[in-house]
Amino acid sequence: MSARRVVLIGYGAIAGDIAEALRVAREPGYALAVLLRPGSSSAGRVPKDMPILDGSDAVAAFAPDLVIEAAGHGAVRESVPACLALGLPVLISSIGALHDDALYADLVAAARRGGGRLLLASGALGGLDYVRAVCHAKQLELRYESRKPPAAWAAELRALGHDPAALAVPVTLFSGTAREAAARYPQNLNVAAALALAGPGFEATGVDVVCDPAASGNTHVVRASSEFGTMSLEIANQPSPTNPKSSWIVAQALLAAVDQHFCPVVMM
């Protein structure tokens, strides 16, 4: 069996972790390439033996079995549509970009035209299988709380007049819908968008964003209630060593999704 061919969009911390794991994977292994904008500052971090692609024509020539987006909302807008139009499956981590209904519709249309598939990673969150199961419940109430330490919200706290180093009590930065949260915090609230897409939608999913000096990690709390029952889920993830706004587990969740994509047995 030949190596599985994968293109990474972007080469930041998450993409680097993914590449490191896939490069040492057992047979059949992976052949990797990276899609970057011309002149990207990330080019210097890409291993010398990994081709750097500069557009959709180069992606088509590489003929990947899977494309993985790990570069932010802008990459979803700029690079993902062309990959879907090529008939490729694209696994995206920046799910928050899909709060834009027009972009989401364009991506779905591109996938239908070209035969591609838009694959959404669970990222730092769990429990999406349960939420999908109850998403059509008549009495569904769904709320998500993000609770992170001040290091994750330093700029936002300063903008509100707080000293991140001296914060003594929790501060609620936001309370509203998943659509508003994803738009306001594109680097932080991809999990809220994932929950909304798995569940009743962006307007019907409530979100609270709390900065808590007592938080030891990035904590995610999901509460769901419907005629089918209730769920209360709490996950405490360690922040990424290179980006406290993101959870360290995100790259592992994407790797698990890659494994499921190629595996003959799929857990739904």
Side-chain angles (χ1 to χ4, degrees):
M1 183 184 296
S2 59
R4 298 153 174 164
R5 302 178 68 79
V6 173
V7 168
L8 296 164
I9 301 177
Y11 207 80
I14 292 173
D17 287 348
I18 293 170
E20 182 179 352
L22 294 183
R23 281 161 63 85
V24 299
R26 294 174 296 177
E27 293 294 334
Y30 293 86
L32 304 179
V34 181
L35 175 61
L36 297 177
R37 293 193 195 101
S40 171
S41 60
S42 298
R45 296 194 293 270
V46 179
K48 299 299 183 184
D49 60 343
M50 285 175 58
I52 295 178
L53 313 178
D54 60 3
S56 58
D57 289 344
V59 172
F62 187 78
D65 301 302
L66 177 67
V67 177
I68 304 172
E69 174 278 315
H73 289 201
V76 177
R77 295 179 178 277
E78 296 167 15
S79 301
V80 171
C83 292
L84 292 171
L86 290 171
L88 300 172
V90 183
L91 174 65
I92 72 168
S93 65
S94 305
I95 298 178
L98 305 185
H99 78 274
D100 183 334
D101 285 340
L103 173 62
Y104 190 25
D106 287 346
L107 294 175
V108 172
R112 285 178 173 157
R113 286 195 307 270
R117 292 186 74 203
L118 189 63
L119 310 175
L120 309 183
S122 58
L125 197 61
L128 296 182
D129 51 351
Y130 183 92
V131 174
R132 286 198 307 271
V134 301
C135 69
H136 297 299
K138 296 178 181 178
Q139 302 169 25
L140 179 59
E141 294 183 8
L142 182 63
R143 195 154 197 95
Y144 163 72
E145 179 188 273
S146 169
R147 189 173 289 261
K148 297 181 182 181
W153 296 110
E156 290 81 1
L157 288 170
R158 292 190 188 97
L160 293 173
H162 298 286
D163 179 357
L167 196 69
V169 296
V171 173
T172 297
L173 299 175
F174 172 84
S175 185
T177 69
R179 190 182 306 281
E180 295 169 317
R184 185 175 297 191
Y185 304 112
Q187 292 183 312
N188 299 73
L189 272 299
N190 285 310
V191 289
L195 192 65
L197 288 165
F202 282 93
E203 300 299 336
T205 301
V207 175
D208 299 299
V209 178
V210 180
C211 179
D212 187 350
S216 58
N218 296 342
T219 301
H220 310 278
V221 178
V222 180
R223 294 185 176 88
S225 175
S226 74
E227 64 267 31
F228 299 113
T230 62
M231 179 188 74
S232 181
L233 172 69
E234 180 173 330
I235 297 175
N237 294 321
Q238 289 301 309
S240 165
T242 55
N243 179 12
K245 289 181 179 293
S246 180
S247 296
W248 205 0
I249 194 68
V250 171
Q252 301 306 311
L254 287 164
L255 285 167
V258 171
D259 181 67
Q260 284 279 279
H261 178 71
F262 290 108
C263 186
V265 179
V266 178
M267 180 173 288
M268 304 296 287

